[in-house]
Amino acid sequence: MNPAARAFWLSSPGHGELRDVTLPEPGDDEVLVRALYSGVSRGTETLVFRGGVPTSQHDVMRAPFQEGDFPAPVKYGYLSVGVVERGPAALIGRTVFCLYPHQSRYVVPVSAVTVVPDRVPAARAVLAGTVETAVNALWDAAPQIGDRISVVGGGMVGCSVAALLARFPGIRLQLVDADPARAETAKALGVDFATPADATGERDLVIHASATEQGLTRALELLAPEGTVVELSWYGDRRVTLPLGEAFHSRRLTLRASQVGTVSPAARPGRGYAERMALALDLLADPALDALITGESGFAELPELMPRLTSGEIPALCHRIRYPDPA
């Protein structure tokens, strides 16, 4: 008989609970995973928690192993790291990453898990989904050597993009955020920091990830002529107004979206999800990325934790969830 499992559910907007789960027997092409850690992606998951997913986006916003429907009840999440307890012999005992909600054990197809490299600690591997987003953004943005680049928005996604850009040769990089406390994160990543008022202009490329109208407006202002803003923010049910009637046309600026769910065939022909995820996990060998994990709580605390993360009472980039050792 399979071990018991518990899962975190959003029972109604603003309220969560832990529920018992009956696990199926894993098939020949499936694995049973015992969770070690999961991560709360503060931007997307708190939007889901407050019930802010627009009706028109209910299908687009579904997580790979989501149960239930928006706004609630729904089991949501996508940053899980665990150890394989049952499955193919080559995987038993291996640490894996899976785009699975917050749950203590789960059964998924073998194709849904990616082995975490030995040099990457399991506790850091919860960042894989967000670093994968950053990889996709940079595939779309295609920065070049010597570029002047700003990342506007020092949240989990913006800091992940900045961390990867910090490795590029010859670029002049600045992380821009309204919260001066993000300067410490930028320092840990080896990146220059500025508040929006003090940000350096004449940028060739700006990656925007603040999910605010003010941030996107400032991103456009920071561009040099012919520059590009790559938009990573998800606004949910909010509308955004932009000053596209001022210098937008005369300076020939570009605003383009980066979509996390798919790899652009034009940007990286022949690349797919599996290759992108494997690359993200490989990049997590860098200990500087530990700066993106700003707190940790036990799994049993999730129902009380999520309202505090959503309200901003607990400031966070990625908040890590720790699962108890097996009995």
Side-chain angles (χ1 to χ4, degrees):
M1 182 177 293
N2 285 336
R6 303 197 83 196
F8 176 72
W9 279 75
L10 173 63
S11 51
S12 63
H15 301 279
E17 63 184 12
L18 298 182
R19 298 183 180 180
D20 292 332
V21 176
T22 301
L23 295 177
E25 281 288 326
D28 292 339
D29 59 348
E30 294 180 319
V31 288
L32 170 65
V33 178
R34 173 173 57 84
L36 299 172
Y37 300 97
S38 59
V40 177
S41 176
R42 187 173 180 273
T44 304
E45 287 197 58
T46 57
L47 183 144
V48 170
F49 190 76
R50 67 176 175 84
V53 179
T55 302
S56 64
Q57 298 298 302
H58 281 191
D59 289 338
V60 174
M61 281 285 291
R62 288 191 69 87
F65 294 99
Q66 174 180 323
E67 292 183 36
D69 297 301
F70 302 119
V74 63
K75 183 176 76 174
Y76 193 83
Y78 46 83
L79 301 173
S80 181
V81 176
V83 60
V84 175
E85 293 189 321
R86 292 173 60 183
L91 288 176
I92 292 177
R94 299 300 301 272
T95 300
V96 294
F97 176 85
C98 185
L99 296 167
Y100 204 87
H102 306 283
Q103 185 165 311
S104 60
R105 278 185 171 90
Y106 47 89
V107 175
V108 292
V110 169
S111 59
V113 300
T114 303
V115 174
V116 176
D118 291 340
R119 62 187 178 279
V120 177
R124 188 186 304 149
V126 295
L127 296 169
T130 306
V131 172
E132 181 200 15
T133 299
V135 167
N136 212 46
L138 295 180
W139 281 354
D140 285 337
Q144 300 183 39
I145 188 169
D147 274 356
R148 301 159 297 180
I149 305 175
S150 292
V151 177
V152 176
M156 191 174 170
V157 171
C159 284
S160 296
V161 171
L164 300 190
L165 280 171
R167 307 168 182 218
F168 278 61
I171 68 167
R172 284 161 282 179
L173 175 64
Q174 191 170 67
L175 178 65
V176 180
D177 196 274
D179 182 1
R182 287 286 181 261
E184 287 300 312
T185 305
K187 181 179 179 180
L189 297 175
V191 176
D192 184 38
F193 175 82
T195 61
D198 297 327
T200 303
E202 295 298 300
R203 313 307 268 180
D204 303 296
L205 173 66
V206 178
I207 312 289
H208 179 246
S210 81
T212 67
E213 181 177 304
Q214 296 88 343
L216 182 52
T217 298
R218 187 62 177 137
L220 288 167
E221 293 171 347
L222 294 176
L223 288 176
E226 306 275 350
T228 297
V229 169
V230 174
E231 175 62 281
L232 295 186
S233 299
W234 170 251
Y235 296 93
D237 54 1
R238 292 173 291 143
R239 293 182 177 270
V240 175
T241 301
L242 293 176
L244 300 184
E246 298 178 4
F248 183 77
H249 288 83
S250 64
R251 302 179 75 216
R252 300 176 62 86
L253 305 181
T254 297
L255 173 62
R256 65 165 300 183
S258 181
Q259 211 284 333
V260 63
T262 57
V263 178
S264 168
R268 287 297 182 273
R271 304 284 185 99
Y273 162 77
E275 186 172 359
R276 189 176 69 186
M277 180 58 74
L279 174 59
L281 281 163
D282 189 61
L283 291 168
L284 280 165
D286 186 351
L289 288 161
D290 284 333
L292 306 186
I293 299 172
T294 51
E296 182 176 292
S297 300
F299 177 56
E301 301 172 64
L302 253 179
E304 290 73 38
L305 174 69
M306 283 300 297
R308 300 173 68 196
L309 288 173
T310 302
S311 69
E313 177 186 346
I314 299 178
L317 293 174
C318 176
H319 195 94
R320 187 167 57 207
I321 304 302
R322 180 185 65 257
Y323 291 77
D325 292 333

